[in-house]
C-alpha cells in the first residue's frame, strides 16, 4: 500500500490566505481619494510574506499591534497583490482587466521588492479598441513616474498596435475617438502623424455623422410637433495648446508632486510633511537635479536665492507644489 505524504510543496497557501487562519499581520488600506472612508483590511502571515519581500520583513520588525497602514494603492490592487504572493497563479493577475489596477500592482512589486512580478505584468497588458481611450488616460497619470517607465512603454506599444491595426474604428464610440485623437495629438513624435491623421479623419467623420443624425432627428420632430427640441452640443476637435514655459508640459503641471517635475522647473514649497528636508516654506526655488535611480524615492537638488543648494531624498508622501512664472 502506498503511503500518503504531507509536504509544504503540496500545501495550498492560496486557501490559507482566503481563510485567514493563523494570520498574524493586518494591512489597513486607506482610501487615497476619500481619507474619511473607513479603511479595509487584508490579513496575512509575517513569516511567509517576509520570505518574499525584504521590505515587508523589515516593516514587520517595527509595526505596532501587528498592524501596517497602507496609503496610495486601492484595496482591490493591494489584495490582488498579496493574493498572488500566496497563490503564485498567473491567472490571478491575468484575469484583471483594469489597467489602473495592473499599474498599481506593478508599483507594489517595485515598492516591496518582489522579484519577477514586474516582468509578469508586462506580458498581460492588452489594449482592445474599446479601451483605448481609458488606457491613454491611465498613461497620462503614470508616464511621468520613473518606476513605471518599463510598463508605460509596453502600454504605449500596445496602444500604437491597436491604433495601426484599426482602419474603420467602428468599435470605438465617436466621443472616445475624439478624446483619443486629442490625447495622442499632444505628442506627434511618439505616435506619428500618419497614424494620427487616420484617427483624426475617423473622429471628424464620426462627429459629422452624429451631427447629421441629430439634425435629422430634430427636423423629424419639428414636423410632428412645434415643441422645441434641445440639441446636444457636438464634440469638437481641439488643437494642442502652447507648452508651459516653466514645466515644459501640456497641460501645465502646476501643483503636481515634485517627482513629476523636470530640471529647470521653478517651484515654491508648501505643506511639507517631513523633517528630512530643510527647504524653507514659501520660498521660491529651481530644480537643478533629479536622480531617479532608487526605486522608491528621488534624489533632488534645489537652488534657492541663486546661491543656496538643498539636496535631499524626496518620497511621494512629501507635499510639494510649485507656481509657474
Amino acid at each position: 500500500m502506498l503511503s500518503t505524504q504531507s509536504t509544504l510543496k503540496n500545501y495550498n497557501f492560496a486557501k490559507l490566505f482566503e481563510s485567514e487562519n493563523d494570520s498574524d499581520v493586518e494591512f489597513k488600506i486607506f482610501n487615497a481619494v476619500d481619507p474619511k472612508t473607513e479603511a479595509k483590511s487584508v490579513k496575512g502571515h509575517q513569516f511567509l510574506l517576509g520570505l518574499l519581500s525584504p521590505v515587508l520583513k523589515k516593516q514587520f520588525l517595527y509595526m505596532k499591534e501587528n498592524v501596517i497602514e497602507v496609503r496610495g494603492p486601492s484595496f482591490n490592487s493591494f489584495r490582488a497583490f498579496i493574493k498572488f504572493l500566496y497563490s503564485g497563479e498567473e491567472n490571478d493577475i491575468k484575469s484583471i482587466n483594469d489597467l489602473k489596477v495592473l499599474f498599481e500592482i506593478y508599483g507594489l512589486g517595485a515598492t516591496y521588492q518582489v522579484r519577477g512580478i514586474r516582468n509578469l505584468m508586462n506580458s498581460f497588458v492588452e489594449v482592445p479598441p474599446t479601451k483605448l481611450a481609458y488606457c491613454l488616460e491611465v498613461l497620462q497619470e503614470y508616464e511621468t513616474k520613473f518606476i513605471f517607465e518599463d510598463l508605460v512603454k509596453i502600454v504605449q506599444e500596445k496602444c500604437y498596435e491597436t491604433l495601426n491595426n484599426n482602419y474603420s474604428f467602428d468599435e470605438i464610440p465617436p466621443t472616445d475617438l475624439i478624446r483619443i485623437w486629442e490625447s495622442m495629438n499632444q505628442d506627434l513624435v511618439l505616435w506619428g502623424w500618419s497614424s494620427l491623421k487616420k484617427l483624426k479623419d475617423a473622429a471628424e467623420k464620426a462627429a459629422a455623422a452624429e451631427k447629421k443624425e441629430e439634425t435629422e432627428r430634430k427636423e423629424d420632430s419639428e414636423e410632428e410637433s412645434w415643441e422645441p427640441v434641445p440639441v446636444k452640443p457636438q464634440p469638437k476637435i481641439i488643437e494642442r495648446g502652447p507648452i508651459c514655459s516653466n514645466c515644459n508640459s501640456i497641460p501645465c503641471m502646476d501643483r503636481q508632486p515634485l517627482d513629476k517635475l523636470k530640471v529647470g522647473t521653478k517651484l515654491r514649497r508648501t505643506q511639507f510633511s517631513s523633517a528630512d528636508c530643510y527647504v524653507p516654506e514659501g520660498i521660491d526655488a529651481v530644480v537643478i537635479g533629479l536622480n531617479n535611480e532608487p526605486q522608491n524615492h528621488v534624489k533632488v537638488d534645489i537652488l534657492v536665492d541663486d546661491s543656496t543648494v538643498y539636496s535631499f531624498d524626496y518620497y511621494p508622501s512629501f507635499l510639494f507644489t510649485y507656481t509657474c512664472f
Side-chain angles (χ1 to χ4, degrees):
M1 179 181 295
L2 296 175
S3 62
T4 302
Q5 294 182 343
S6 296
T7 65
L8 287 175
K9 179 180 179 180
N10 300 319
Y11 192 81
N12 189 341
F13 289 100
K15 186 176 181 180
L16 179 66
F17 168 73
E18 296 290 352
S19 67
E20 299 182 352
N21 288 338
D22 303 318
S23 61
D24 56 3
V25 61
E26 178 182 7
F27 299 94
K28 284 194 172 182
I29 297 86
F30 290 83
N31 190 319
V33 178
D34 185 6
K36 296 182 180 180
T37 304
E38 184 178 356
K40 295 183 179 181
S41 296
V42 173
K43 295 185 178 180
H45 305 79
Q46 295 182 43
F47 176 73
L48 296 177
L49 295 175
L51 291 175
L52 301 174
S53 168
V55 176
L56 285 175
K57 185 175 183 179
K58 188 174 295 185
Q59 286 185 335
F60 294 152
L61 297 175
Y62 300 101
M63 66 179 177
K64 297 180 180 180
E65 300 178 353
N66 289 2
V67 174
I68 294 179
E69 294 185 356
V70 179
R71 303 177 186 273
S74 66
F75 169 76
N76 291 338
S77 301
F78 191 85
R79 189 180 188 282
F81 170 70
I82 297 297
K83 180 181 179 181
F84 174 74
L85 296 186
Y86 276 82
S87 70
E89 292 290 337
E90 295 184 356
N91 285 335
D92 287 344
I93 303 297
K94 192 174 183 179
S95 60
I96 298 173
N97 56 13
D98 189 329
L99 184 61
K100 187 169 183 178
V101 173
L102 291 177
F103 263 97
E104 290 186 347
I105 295 176
Y106 186 92
L108 288 168
T111 299
Y112 292 108
Q113 298 179 15
V114 176
R115 290 184 177 181
I117 197 167
R118 299 179 70 179
N119 295 331
L120 181 66
M121 299 294 296
N122 291 343
S123 62
F124 290 153
V125 175
E126 296 295 338
V127 182
T130 53
K131 291 190 176 181
L132 184 56
Y134 173 69
C135 290
L136 290 173
E137 290 179 4
V138 176
L139 277 180
Q140 289 180 347
E141 180 177 351
Y142 290 97
E143 62 186 356
T144 57
K145 300 179 181 180
F146 65 92
I147 64 171
F148 298 101
E149 182 178 2
D150 294 341
L151 187 55
V152 163
K153 289 180 179 178
I154 293 292
V155 177
Q156 286 176 341
E157 290 175 0
K158 297 285 187 179
C159 290
Y160 192 82
E161 290 176 4
T162 299
L163 177 63
N164 284 338
N165 292 335
N166 277 270
Y167 297 95
S168 63
F169 298 100
D170 292 337
E171 299 178 61
I172 305 177
T175 52
D176 279 358
L177 277 174
I178 296 172
R179 289 166 54 204
I180 294 168
W181 185 86
E182 291 173 353
S183 175
M184 290 184 164
N185 186 46
Q186 294 181 15
D187 196 336
L188 298 179
V189 176
L190 177 63
W191 302 112
W193 173 244
S194 60
S195 297
L196 286 178
K197 186 178 185 305
K198 179 178 64 174
L199 178 63
K200 179 183 179 182
D201 292 343
E204 291 178 337
K205 182 179 179 181
E210 188 173 302
K211 183 176 181 179
K212 180 180 178 181
E213 183 179 348
E214 187 68 33
T215 302
E216 291 175 350
R217 284 200 299 268
K218 180 182 177 182
E219 292 175 350
D220 292 341
S221 298
E222 288 177 346
E223 291 178 0
E224 297 175 0
S225 171
W226 291 99
E227 294 293 328
V229 178
V231 179
K232 182 177 65 174
Q234 298 302 312
K236 298 181 179 179
I237 301 295
I238 301 176
E239 299 292 342
R240 60 186 304 195
I243 298 177
C244 175
S245 60
N246 182 32
C247 61
N248 197 30
S249 297
I250 303 176
C252 172
M253 297 175 69
D254 186 33
R255 302 186 183 280
Q256 295 297 311
L258 181 59
D259 59 341
K260 292 186 177 182
L261 307 185
K262 302 174 183 178
V263 172
T265 301
K266 298 178 182 179
L267 55 83
R268 179 178 291 117
R269 174 190 160 185
T270 63
Q271 300 184 45
F272 205 63
S273 62
S274 171
D276 295 337
C277 170
Y278 302 98
V279 180
E281 292 189 18
I283 194 168
D284 297 336
V286 179
V287 178
I288 61 173
L290 289 173
N291 183 352
N292 295 339
E293 291 183 1
Q295 292 188 343
N296 58 352
H297 68 277
V298 183
K299 185 73 174 179
V300 180
D301 298 315
I302 290 180
L303 177 65
V304 177
D305 296 332
D306 296 328
S307 59
T308 305
V309 176
Y310 290 88
S311 298
F312 57 94
D313 291 333
Y314 172 80
Y315 291 79
S317 60
F318 292 0
L319 300 178
F320 260 98
T321 61
Y322 79 99
T323 305
C324 288
F325 297 94

